[in-house]
Amino acid sequence: MRKIVMALLLAAACTALAACGRRSTITVECERAGSDLLRIAHPAKYLLLPVEEACGEARVTLVTGSPADVAMDVRLAHDSVDYFVPMELPAGAEAVVRVEGVAPDAVFWEKVSVSDRFDTGNTDRYRPVYHHTPPYGWMNDPNGLVYKDGEYHLYYQYNPYGSMWGNMHWGHSVSRDLVHWEPLPAAIARDTMGHIFSGSAVVDRENDAGFGRDAIIAFYTSAGDSQVQCLAYSTDNGRTFTKYGGNPVLTPFDGLRDFRDPKVFRYEPAKRWYMIVSAYKEMRLYSSEDMKEWEYVGAFGDGYGVQPRMFECPDFVQLPVEGDGSRRKWVMIVNVNPGCIFGGSATEYFVGDFDGETFVCESAPETVKWLDYGKDHYATVCFSNTGSRTIAVPWMSNWQYANDTPQRQHRGANALPRELSLFTKDGETYVAADVVGEVRSLRGRTVAAGDVTVEGEKVLAELVKGLGGAFEIEADITPGDARSAGIELCNAAGEKAVVYLDMESGRLVMDRTASGVVDFGNRTEAFTAEDAAVTGPMNYVNDFALATWAPLTLCEGGTYHLDIFVDSCSVEIFVDGGRIAMTNLVFPTEAYDTVRLFAEGGAARFGDVTAYGLSM
Ligand code: FRU
């Protein structure tokens, strides 16, 4: 009886016409308890799956009879529908989809439908205007960043079946200028070996791997019962990839569980390819001639930097020494989770020398250098094949609350791409991360407020009015004898993001405690007792409502140049050309449209205050 009722409900829901002009209909066949087959006659292009994020994961498989068929984990709706996700159906007389783990009384059975269209028009109030996001679904780390033939390829950790983490694919977007991104179909799909975790890509100019001259070779972690490194190649400019038949190309020699995120680069002195892989508390290096056979070289990291913690998503780049372009130093970029400065995940780096075998860090092991002092800067890695430029792209979130942000149609954006360079301060070498110059092309309406001296406050009501919360503000702030001096971005709802120089503590601070929606991220999950020592017990405080800060000792002092980028759900601050970078999410219920300059305890000078509307 249940089956017949369901079939009727489904037939009623099938209103779309398939391309052939015949009505696409779904009937349900019960395979066994908890497993049903949806038989779709004259399949339309998509099966639209209703998702309810509060539900556990059910399993959905497009059944083709191939051993490569793989179940996707989807939070199919039980009580109500948050949104739909499309599953692409093959053309033909019939498509079959297996659904496992959905209760008979779930609203799913009424709401599942077919359609030739899937609307990706933006419905998220917090979808950024000028930051890269997937058109729908979940995104975390940038992957396989590679430049080739005028195109920047941005692959990314992608769940096409929901806006929470799961079903890791490599999503794909391309850009010619690092700011305008064109979404393309996912490039590498989850398979029977496991999730397609993070990794990198290179251009194989000399055909060392044998897949063709100029092939793009991608390396990713296949994450199933264990984590192993795999290779896939593309001979159509990164649009589609073929997984190598000899995968995996690298397994851990000691059975390590956390062994992932391969970054491959060319090391010319040895005329070999190198791979750096995160291995729990260290980074391991391997080398190869053909990118298929990898030999262990050595490891770095145990005991270095913030403790305790786990390493993920490495990169290893060379940057010219400030003032001496003929010398270069190596920078190991290490993404760390959990245990970071403001809780959860963040990006650290080590500066030193590398001779093809050993990386020698030039700082004491306890020295900690952050690439960004916000809370939403993670999994940052750099493009390969960009010549003398080193361009990094962060994922703009934090594992403490990434799955809980107040978004639905999509979750996850990249922070603006940054160009990396070295500078020296007080005997230490640091990395400056400044926004790429290409971002200037987004500037539209310009309002110059000139030089303003402030003691107390000065409200600039018109500076960013009407810009829809997507703008840039530049100013040279000289705090003088003021105790603090800064810029408050606010709206009529009384919400504010406050950026200021706190001269008493010697810090640049961004306070988002009253920035808008902050009541999520109220829990933190500790992985081990050791991690719990850092993250604290479960359910302790709100992880989101906080202020982040950076030491002003990184700057020369006196006057500070601030370049602030505001978008629908983010504030990024670059001080003195990226000596300090600070990236934080914010969720104001209406756009920030008013700027308040303030100085406490004295007069501060705000020089050349200028605002630009930013749009695509
Ligand atoms: C970092 C990370 C990586 C892993 C990926 C999985 O954010 O945990 O180590 O490859 O995300 O999505």
Side-chain angles (χ1 to χ4, degrees):
M1 180 60 188
R2 171 173 80 86
K3 245 180 1 189
I4 297 166
V5 172
M6 281 180 345
L8 286 173
L9 286 171
L10 287 167
C14 298
T15 50
L17 293 182
C20 64
R22 298 172 73 179
R23 189 171 288 272
S24 190
T25 53
I26 310 177
T27 47
V28 180
E29 182 184 311
C30 179
E31 273 195 307
R32 57 181 182 280
S35 179
D36 294 275
L37 293 180
L38 305 187
R39 293 194 174 278
I40 304 153
H42 316 300
K45 212 165 162 199
Y46 304 111
L47 181 65
L48 300 183
L49 300 167
V51 172
E52 182 181 357
E53 291 198 339
C55 289
E57 289 173 335
R59 289 153 57 84
V60 183
T61 314
L62 179 65
V63 181
T64 70
S66 152
D69 287 352
V70 53
M72 297 297 161
D73 304 317
V74 192
R75 296 173 187 275
L76 297 177
H78 185 274
D79 295 328
S80 61
V81 181
D82 292 332
Y83 51 82
F84 288 84
V85 292
M87 175 170 262
E88 219 167 304
L89 297 173
E94 186 188 66
V96 180
V97 174
R98 175 176 295 114
V99 175
E100 295 165 278
V102 182
D105 61 345
V107 65
F108 165 81
W109 300 108
E110 264 170 62
K111 298 292 184 186
V112 63
S113 64
V114 284
S115 175
D116 284 329
R117 284 181 302 115
F118 177 66
D119 187 1
T120 55
N122 184 27
T123 60
D124 266 337
R125 106 153 235 95
Y126 294 119
R127 158 118 359 134
V129 172
Y130 60 91
H131 286 78
H132 173 258
T133 64
Y136 66 95
W138 161 275
M139 177 178 88
N140 57 295
D141 315 355
N143 296 150
L145 300 178
V146 60
Y147 179 71
K148 180 171 187 284
D149 298 337
E151 288 181 332
Y152 293 93
H153 294 269
L154 168 48
Y155 303 95
Y156 53 88
Q157 288 287 278
Y158 182 43
N159 184 3
Y161 299 111
S163 301
M164 297 173 79
W165 188 91
N167 303 309
M168 283 297 110
H169 288 48
W170 275 24
H172 187 197
S173 295
V174 291
S175 172
R176 297 198 158 264
D177 63 2
L178 292 165
V179 283
H180 297 89
W181 294 98
E182 180 195 348
L184 292 176
I188 309 181
R190 178 181 180 183
D191 59 28
T192 49
M193 279 179 75
H195 295 280
I196 311 297
F197 270 17
S198 290
S200 57
V202 296
V203 178
D204 187 8
R205 280 189 230 282
E206 305 297 332
N207 195 19
D208 292 334
F211 301 117
R213 198 169 281 276
D214 282 343
I216 294 183
I217 316 283
F219 298 86
Y220 60 88
T221 301
S222 186
D225 293 337
S226 61
Q227 298 185 346
V228 294
Q229 316 320 320
C230 293
L231 180 160
Y233 59 92
S234 169
T235 52
D236 60 358
N237 268 336
R239 269 42 183 191
T240 60
F241 282 84
T242 305
K243 288 169 184 153
Y244 171 51
N247 280 337
V249 293
L250 181 66
T251 57
F253 50 75
D254 52 0
L256 195 64
R257 178 76 191 80
D258 293 295
F259 183 61
R260 57 177 179 267
D261 311 336
K263 169 76 188 202
V264 172
F265 58 97
R266 183 78 184 162
Y267 181 67
E268 269 318 322
K271 303 224 170 322
R272 285 172 79 81
W273 296 94
Y274 275 64
M275 181 192 283
I276 181 168
V277 190
S278 63
Y280 193 38
K281 292 190 179 298
E282 61 182 18
M283 295 299 183
R284 290 185 186 164
L285 281 158
Y286 296 79
S287 82
S288 172
E289 263 169 24
D290 62 1
M291 296 190 254
K292 296 170 184 159
E293 302 273 327
W294 292 92
E295 285 163 32
Y296 180 64
V297 173
F300 171 82
D302 202 3
Y304 275 78
V306 66
Q307 306 286 336
R309 43 73 183 139
M310 185 169 82
F311 282 172
E312 298 184 318
C313 299
D315 207 337
F316 202 27
V317 295
Q318 265 188 303
L319 295 174
V321 172
E322 190 190 28
D324 180 0
S326 63
R327 279 206 308 133
R328 299 203 291 167
K329 289 190 180 188
W330 283 87
V331 175
M332 192 180 287
I333 296 174
V334 172
N335 290 280
V336 178
N337 181 52
C340 291
I341 174 166
F342 305 115
S345 38
T347 308
E348 212 183 343
Y349 64 89
F350 302 98
V351 181
D353 284 318
F354 179 60
D355 61 2
E357 291 199 348
T358 311
F359 173 67
V360 180
C361 176
E362 62 181 34
S363 306
E366 59 276 13
T367 307
V368 178
K369 296 176 181 173
W370 299 107
L371 196 53
D372 188 286
Y373 284 85
K375 189 155 177 177
D376 301 298
H377 175 283
Y378 196 55
T380 304
V381 284
C382 304
F383 278 96
S384 70
N385 205 32
T386 49
S388 59
R389 295 181 78 188
T390 302
I391 301 165
V393 178
W395 168 48
M396 193 157 53
S397 198
N398 189 303
W399 277 121
Q400 280 185 334
Y401 44 70
N403 276 287
D404 305 320
T405 55
Q407 290 150 310
R408 276 284 155 88
Q409 185 188 21
H410 88 291
R411 251 192 214 99
N414 293 109
L416 292 170
R418 290 121 200 250
E419 191 149 349
L420 306 186
S421 62
L422 295 179
F423 69 98
T424 307
K425 186 75 203 305
D426 303 330
E428 282 283 352
T429 303
Y430 295 95
V431 175
D434 199 10
V435 62
V436 294
E438 284 88 338
V439 169
R440 312 271 178 259
S441 72
L442 301 175
R443 286 178 176 174
R445 192 193 86 185
T446 303
V447 177
D451 299 339
V452 190
T453 298
V454 180
E455 189 163 6
E457 68 164 20
K458 184 163 173 60
V459 176
L460 303 178
E462 297 306 317
L463 198 66
V464 298
K465 235 314 135 320
L467 295 178
F471 54 85
E472 175 189 357
I473 298 177
E474 279 193 290
D476 291 312
I477 306 183
T478 311
D481 56 2
R483 232 179 13 249
S484 67
I487 300 176
E488 183 179 291
L489 310 166
C490 45
N491 62 19
E495 297 160 351
K496 55 190 180 181
V498 195
V499 177
Y500 62 99
L501 303 166
D502 181 341
M503 302 317 291
E504 279 186 335
S505 62
R507 292 173 170 181
L508 170 81
V509 183
M510 180 183 146
D511 186 341
R512 67 174 178 192
T513 48
S515 56
V517 181
V518 297
D519 59 347
F520 58 91
N522 291 340
R523 61 191 161 80
T524 184
E525 286 167 29
F527 308 152
T528 63
E530 194 185 43
D531 295 333
V534 177
T535 58
M538 302 276 284
N539 301 322
Y540 70 118
V541 280
N542 180 299
D543 289 323
F544 188 81
L546 85 172
T548 70
W549 59 268
L552 288 173
T553 47
L554 290 168
C555 302
E556 294 301 344
T559 297
Y560 302 85
H561 180 77
L562 269 66
D563 198 353
I564 306 175
F565 290 83
V566 181
D567 203 342
S568 315
C569 68
S570 60
V571 177
E572 287 158 281
I573 309 157
F574 300 91
V575 183
D576 290 354
R579 282 180 176 229
I580 296 172
M582 188 180 280
T583 303
N584 282 314
L585 293 175
V586 287
F587 297 97
T589 56
E590 26 183 290
Y592 300 131
D593 62 357
T594 302
V595 171
R596 189 176 76 94
L597 307 181
F598 64 90
E600 286 162 10
R605 187 163 178 278
F606 294 73
D608 273 337
V609 179
T610 311
Y612 308 89
L614 300 183
S615 59
M616 300 294 277

Coordinates of all heavy atoms in Angstrom, one line a residue, residues 44 63 79 131 236 241 305 330 411 415 439 518 553-554 604 609:
A44 N 14.4 13.2 -17.3 CA 14.7 14.6 -17.5 C 16.2 14.8 -17.1 O 16.9 13.8 -16.7 CB 13.9 15.5 -16.6
V63 N 22.3 4.2 -10.4 CA 22.6 2.8 -10.7 C 22.8 2.6 -12.2 O 21.8 2.8 -12.9 CB 21.4 1.9 -10.2 CG1 21.8 0.4 -10.4 CG2 21.2 2.1 -8.7
D79 N 11.3 16.3 7.5 CA 10.1 17.1 8.0 C 9.8 18.3 7.0 O 8.7 18.6 6.8 CB 10.4 17.7 9.4 CG 10.5 16.6 10.4 OD1 9.8 15.6 10.2 OD2 11.3 16.8 11.3
H131 N 33.6 37.9 -4.3 CA 34.5 36.8 -3.9 C 34.0 35.5 -4.6 O 32.8 35.3 -4.8 CB 34.5 36.6 -2.4 CG 35.2 37.6 -1.6 ND1 34.7 38.9 -1.4 CD2 36.4 37.6 -1.0 CE1 35.5 39.6 -0.7 NE2 36.6 38.8 -0.5
D236 N 42.8 18.5 -21.8 CA 41.9 19.4 -22.4 C 41.9 20.7 -21.5 O 40.8 21.2 -21.2 CB 40.5 18.9 -22.6 CG 39.9 18.4 -21.3 OD1 40.5 18.5 -20.2 OD2 38.7 18.0 -21.3
F241 N 39.4 15.3 -16.3 CA 40.6 14.5 -15.8 C 40.3 13.0 -15.9 O 39.2 12.6 -15.8 CB 40.9 14.9 -14.3 CG 41.5 16.2 -14.2 CD1 40.8 17.4 -14.1 CD2 42.9 16.3 -14.1 CE1 41.4 18.6 -14.0 CE2 43.6 17.5 -13.9 CZ 42.8 18.7 -13.9
G305 N 56.5 25.5 15.8 CA 55.3 26.3 15.7 C 54.3 26.0 16.8 O 54.6 25.5 17.9
W330 N 63.2 29.8 1.3 CA 62.1 28.9 1.2 C 61.1 29.2 2.3 O 61.4 29.5 3.4 CB 62.6 27.5 1.3 CG 63.2 27.0 0.1 CD1 64.5 27.1 -0.3 CD2 62.5 26.3 -1.0 NE1 64.7 26.5 -1.5 CE2 63.5 26.0 -2.0 CE3 61.2 25.9 -1.2 CZ2 63.3 25.4 -3.2 CZ3 61.0 25.2 -2.4 CH2 62.0 24.9 -3.4
R411 N 27.6 27.3 0.8 CA 28.5 27.6 2.0 C 29.9 27.5 1.6 O 30.4 26.5 1.1 CB 28.2 26.6 3.2 CG 27.4 27.3 4.3 CD 27.4 26.4 5.5 NE 26.1 26.7 6.2 CZ 25.1 25.9 6.1 NH1 25.2 24.7 5.4 NH2 23.9 26.2 6.7
A415 N 38.8 33.8 0.2 CA 39.2 35.2 0.4 C 39.9 35.7 -0.8 O 40.2 34.9 -1.8 CB 40.2 35.2 1.6
V439 N 42.6 43.2 -8.2 CA 41.4 43.5 -7.5 C 41.0 45.0 -7.8 O 39.8 45.3 -7.8 CB 41.6 43.2 -6.0 CG1 40.5 43.8 -5.2 CG2 41.7 41.7 -5.8
V518 N 25.6 36.4 15.0 CA 26.8 35.7 15.6 C 26.4 34.5 16.4 O 27.3 33.8 16.9 CB 27.6 36.7 16.5 CG1 28.1 37.9 15.7 CG2 26.7 37.2 17.7
T553 N 54.0 45.4 15.8 CA 55.4 45.4 15.7 C 55.8 44.9 14.3 O 57.0 45.0 13.9 CB 56.1 44.5 16.7 OG1 55.3 43.3 16.8 CG2 56.1 45.1 18.1
L554 N 54.9 44.3 13.6 CA 55.2 43.8 12.2 C 55.3 45.0 11.3 O 55.9 44.9 10.2 CB 54.1 42.9 11.7 CG 54.0 41.5 12.4 CD1 52.7 40.8 12.0 CD2 55.2 40.7 11.9
A604 N 43.8 61.7 16.3 CA 44.5 60.9 15.3 C 44.2 61.5 13.9 O 43.1 62.1 13.7 CB 43.9 59.5 15.3
V609 N 41.5 59.5 3.1 CA 40.4 58.5 3.2 C 39.6 58.4 1.9 O 39.1 59.4 1.4 CB 39.5 58.9 4.4 CG1 38.3 57.9 4.6 CG2 40.2 59.1 5.7

